[in-house]
Amino acid sequence: MFKKILKEIKKYDSIVIARHIGVDPDAMASQVGLRDAILNTFPEKKVYAVGTGGAKFSFLGKLDHFDGDYSKTLLIVLDTPDRKRVDSADIDNFAYTIKIDHHPFMEKFCDLELVDDKASSACELVMRMIYDTKLEATKRVMEVLYLGLVSDTNRFMFNNSSYTTFDIVSKVIKDYNLDISSLYSPLYMRPLAEMRLFGYMSESMQVTDYGVGYIEVSDEVLKKYGVDVASSGNMINNFNYIEEVLVWLAITEDTKNGIFKINIRSRGPVINTIAEKYNGGGHKLASGARVTIKEDAYKLIDDLNEACRKYIEELGDINED
Ligand code: AMP
């Protein structure tokens, strides 16, 4: 399949690489890494990595603006399972479209689709594509891809890390001579204000009967701590391994967009199918949702609580057998 994708890449002089809204390191690193590998291999091509960026991820590279001829341009969408989450690319206008994704399949919206939900990250898929084809990476391309992969696996701690992940990462480190410890600081550095917000979040977490830990972060709280609306979501992985908590979420008021942004994580119960009911989705154990009224966030908590109840009950049954 990667060879088939490269065949399409070879056909077009102009290529746009898009990914999902609500940029995160895996989405951005995969598009920047793929763009730069294509440019390194085919310097005469024009390749644009598009989408709304964030100063926070500028260490991964620069994004581009595309205003060329759509009818002669190939679109590659990375890390995005459904059409509505594609950032800054009007899919129907492109000459040909390709999707490369590692989320559970949601819908077909491109001409050619490679979906591997066993892959740890979109970056792992781009790494594989580089090894499986004549695309040539540079050391910097692999450093960027490595950072995206490390971020999406939460430093290889999530269950999306498999032997395949370690296999390719070990090859990349060896073949490109990566000095991994020197790469981490821009990914993990954070302002003290965010750590103080983390203190607030830990203090205010409420836990339901069956282990849903939920944290509400109002606009007033964001202002008090001097942080932006993404800060609470950036902290969500830090709440793993709390004995009393199986599923946890942050509900953050986003007054600019008139919504509540919700980041959800799980240590067992499947959450993406529940998130989908609340204008969300994602992976089985790491999802997001958006609601416009607070009551819907509370309904989501109830649904998650029920999923935890069932999960605990089923675990009990297994242990009794
Ligand atoms: P986050 O909590 O933002 O880190 O997102 C965790 C996962 O859920 C990622 O794979 C996101 O792409 C996905 N996700 C987040 N928000 C949404 C949403 N509103 N709809 C669908 N998927 C989402």
Side-chain angles (χ1 to χ4, degrees):
M1 184 62 128
F2 286 127
K3 291 198 174 71
K4 220 167 158 183
I5 293 175
L6 187 69
K7 223 168 142 188
E8 295 302 327
I9 289 174
K10 281 183 179 164
K11 284 188 200 163
Y12 292 88
D13 295 331
S14 165
I15 300 167
V16 166
I17 305 180
R19 38 78 190 162
H20 63 73
I21 50 173
V23 64
D24 60 32
D26 182 41
M28 178 145 167
S30 59
Q31 67 172 165
V32 167
L34 180 59
R35 175 196 65 193
D36 294 347
I38 297 173
L39 285 173
N40 189 47
T41 318
F42 307 104
E44 70 291 352
K45 289 191 190 294
K46 297 262 180 279
V47 191
Y48 308 84
V50 302
T52 311
K56 199 171 160 39
F57 302 133
S58 59
F59 66 93
L60 294 170
K62 278 206 170 84
L63 292 173
D64 311 297
H65 177 70
F66 174 72
D67 57 6
D69 184 350
Y70 286 82
S71 68
K72 294 191 172 122
T73 300
L74 168 69
L75 172 70
I76 303 177
V77 180
L78 293 169
D79 200 29
T80 314
D82 54 342
R83 171 187 279 265
K84 73 173 189 317
R85 299 244 316 144
V86 179
D87 189 349
S88 309
D90 201 344
I91 298 164
D92 297 325
N93 294 336
F94 288 88
Y96 193 77
T97 55
I98 296 174
K99 181 213 276 185
I100 302 175
D101 187 29
H102 75 120
H103 288 86
F105 177 80
M106 283 184 81
E107 63 174 354
K108 182 173 184 331
F109 63 89
C110 288
D111 298 309
L112 184 61
E113 299 205 339
L114 186 156
V115 178
D116 179 357
D117 64 5
K118 299 274 182 304
S120 67
S121 52
C123 285
E124 180 181 326
L125 291 172
V126 176
M127 283 177 178
R128 272 199 233 156
M129 180 159 161
I130 290 167
Y131 273 99
D132 283 7
T133 66
K134 291 198 164 60
L135 270 186
E136 280 178 33
T138 59
K139 179 173 180 169
R140 184 58 199 155
V141 163
M142 285 306 194
E143 285 177 345
V144 165
L145 293 173
Y146 176 80
L147 285 174
L149 184 154
V150 162
S151 171
D152 239 39
T153 58
N154 196 20
R155 284 171 263 180
F156 305 100
M157 211 156 65
F158 288 160
N159 73 341
N160 58 1
S161 300
S162 67
Y163 73 87
T164 331
T165 317
F166 284 101
D167 197 31
I168 195 144
V169 163
S170 119
K171 267 202 264 184
V172 165
I173 293 172
K174 180 166 171 279
D175 296 348
Y176 292 83
N177 196 23
L178 300 197
D179 175 9
I180 54 173
S181 60
S182 69
L183 298 176
Y184 293 124
S185 73
L187 184 60
Y188 292 112
M189 196 64 76
R190 59 190 40 154
L192 183 58
E194 268 194 10
M195 285 317 290
R196 296 207 198 285
L197 175 74
F198 179 58
Y200 168 85
M201 291 170 74
S202 309
E203 189 73 43
S204 63
M205 179 187 267
Q206 304 285 315
V207 183
T208 66
D209 294 350
Y210 292 100
V212 178
Y214 63 96
I215 303 157
E216 296 180 52
V217 181
S218 65
D219 183 56
E220 197 185 334
V221 166
L222 293 175
K223 290 203 171 94
K224 178 178 166 198
Y225 286 90
V227 292
D228 67 31
V229 73
S231 299
S232 42
N234 294 339
M235 296 289 164
I236 198 73
N237 290 337
N238 295 356
F239 292 92
N240 206 344
Y241 300 115
I242 299 172
E243 281 177 5
E244 295 82 353
V245 173
L246 253 185
V247 166
W248 60 104
L249 63 153
I251 302 158
T252 308
E253 188 178 12
D254 177 352
T255 46
K256 197 172 136 214
N257 294 303
I259 56 164
F260 294 90
K261 205 174 67 68
I262 305 176
N263 305 85
I264 320 165
R265 298 291 184 270
S266 170
R267 263 193 307 120
V270 171
I271 53 175
N272 60 341
T273 42
I274 298 175
E276 279 166 25
K277 282 172 59 188
Y278 297 88
N279 197 21
H283 301 282
K284 282 182 184 161
L285 304 182
S287 297
R290 281 156 191 248
V291 297
T292 45
I293 52 170
K294 197 68 167 295
E295 283 63 35
D296 283 343
Y298 295 135
K299 283 186 195 153
L300 167 64
I301 295 169
D302 285 345
D303 286 355
L304 293 170
N305 193 47
E306 177 58 13
C308 287
R309 189 191 64 73
K310 282 192 187 140
Y311 180 83
I312 293 165
E313 200 175 278
E314 279 161 20
L315 265 191
D317 288 348
I318 290 167
N319 291 339
E320 275 171 24
D321 288 345

